[in-house]
Amino acid sequence: QPVLTQPPSASASLGASVTLTCTLSSGYSNYKVDWYQQRPGKGPRFVMRVGTGGIVGSKGDGIPDRFSVLGSGLNRYLTIKNIQEEDESDYHCGTDYGSGSNFFWVFGGGTKLTVL
Amino acid sequence: QLQLQESGPGLVKPSETLSLTCTVSGDSISSSNHYWGWIRQPPGKGLEWIGSIYYSGSTYYNPSLKSRVTMSVDTSKSQFSLKMSAVTAADTAVYYCAESRPGDGYFGFWGQGRLVGVSS
């Protein structure tokens, strides 16, 4: 099964940009990854899905244009431009795998983004 | 707009069974357009998928939890449920119910979460 690895923390100044990384384990370079935002004390919300060709499908409801994604090799990136205070959140990546009668979901450990 | 709401005891004793229910509104729980899932988050940690169920009753469980987990759907009440047996302190977490669509994969709608502690 794929393993997703995320750095535990990241920080960026108000108005700056930041790129968060989710790394798939070896052998899973063709997998798509989903990004979720979790504000303090709240449940996660879907941001968008990313493959090696970039965004897959549509962004989640209410996700601003400042959020974008890229995919390269085993890495899936979430970039936030012009960071706002409300972007301070935990960001999780996840993916589904398997097919037919057997499929599963896995998540990375999450990255805590601090806005300075 | 789909809405999900978790309910159930906030405290369970070690070795007993944790039981949670998720009430769905905004669409039929019997629709073939949805998988219904449970995801948990221990305090200060990341997300862990527990399992998902389809309207047909087909279930998909995390292999690491499969021996202790049972999920079911009650279409008459528009609810789906989670039972986890033989709980320990390691099962203390916020439990979320969530929805995903066949073919999409991602969890598009989430409940607000239910904190469940395991303690005597």
Side-chain angles (χ1 to χ4, degrees):
Chain A
Q1 69 183 56
V3 175
L4 303 177
T5 302
Q6 298 180 254
S9 63
S11 62
S13 299
L14 198 64
S17 296
V18 69
T19 296
L20 307 179
T21 304
C22 175
T23 303
L24 289 150
S25 52
S26 177
Y28 294 95
S29 60
N30 62 328
Y31 271 59
K32 304 174 184 65
V33 157
D34 307 316
W35 283 100
Y36 299 89
Q37 178 192 53
Q38 185 177 26
R39 288 177 170 150
K42 301 294 186 182
R45 73 162 171 165
F46 172 70
V47 177
M48 70 186 88
R49 168 167 274 204
V50 55
T52 53
I55 187 172
V56 178
S58 303
K59 292 181 180 179
D61 290 344
I63 300 300
D65 292 341
R66 302 183 290 103
F67 287 67
S68 62
V69 292
L70 282 176
S72 177
L74 295 172
N75 293 322
R76 305 291 180 264
Y77 305 102
L78 174 67
T79 296
I80 309 171
K81 296 181 178 179
N82 186 23
I83 289 177
Q84 303 299 303
E85 288 184 359
E86 65 262 27
D87 298 332
E88 184 161 288
S89 303
D90 291 329
Y91 290 86
H92 306 274
C93 61
T95 190
D96 58 311
Y97 68 98
S99 62
S101 60
N102 283 295
F103 60 91
F104 313 92
W105 282 263
V106 291
F107 293 94
T111 296
K112 182 177 183 61
L113 174 63
T114 300
V115 178
L116 304 173
Chain B
Q1 182 91 346
L2 202 59
Q3 291 187 318
L4 296 87
Q5 178 67 60
E6 305 88 352
S7 59
L11 186 65
V12 183
K13 291 183 169 56
S15 79
E16 295 190 346
T17 296
L18 176 158
S19 296
L20 292 173
T21 297
C22 182
T23 301
V24 177
S25 60
D27 198 2
S28 170
I29 199 169
S30 300
S31 167
S32 61
N33 293 327
H34 308 291
Y35 285 99
W36 308 106
W38 289 97
I39 295 126
R40 70 180 181 178
Q41 185 174 34
K45 296 187 178 181
L47 302 171
E48 180 182 31
W49 174 72
I50 299 170
S52 294
I53 187 167
Y54 198 40
Y55 79 102
S56 61
S58 296
T59 52
Y60 312 88
Y61 297 138
N62 186 324
S64 68
L65 299 170
K66 185 175 182 177
S67 63
R68 299 194 292 127
V69 168
T70 303
M71 294 179 61
S72 60
V73 174
D74 185 339
T75 56
S76 66
K77 295 181 179 179
S78 198
Q79 295 176 335
F80 63 102
S81 65
L82 168 70
K83 292 187 185 300
M84 181 180 292
S85 64
V87 297
T88 70
D91 296 310
T92 292
V94 176
Y95 286 76
Y96 295 98
C97 58
E99 175 267 2
S100 63
R101 287 180 174 263
D104 285 350
Y106 60 84
F107 291 99
F109 292 92
W110 296 66
Q112 64 183 26
R114 179 67 173 159
L115 175 60
V116 180
V118 177
S119 175
S120 54

